[in-house]
Amino acid sequence: MQRKMLKWLEATDDIVPFELDERFTPEMLWARVRGLVPPEKEAEVRKMIADARHSRF
């Protein structure tokens, strides 16, 4: 079973879902990028995160 699951993962791990992945909250996204964002850009990036959650590509 483990080998079968690993083969499936290898075959599908480069697929990008068409739907927005809503498992991540704005707080989780901010936690991932906050170390890369200068303090003066925090409000702008937080707005970008919030806006992205409401848009559909």
Side-chain angles (χ1 to χ4, degrees), residues 3-44:
R3 190 173 299 275
K4 188 175 183 179
M5 290 175 69
L6 286 172
K7 285 191 178 289
W8 173 83
L9 179 62
E10 289 174 353
T12 61
D13 67 344
D14 63 339
I15 295 174
V16 177
F18 291 108
E19 295 296 321
L20 177 66
D21 186 349
E22 296 195 23
R23 294 176 291 172
F24 297 100
T25 65
E27 293 81 17
M28 291 169 70
L29 293 172
W30 172 247
R32 298 285 306 236
V33 300
R34 70 177 167 213
L36 304 171
V37 178
E40 64 274 9
K41 295 288 187 177
E42 179 179 342
E44 181 181 345

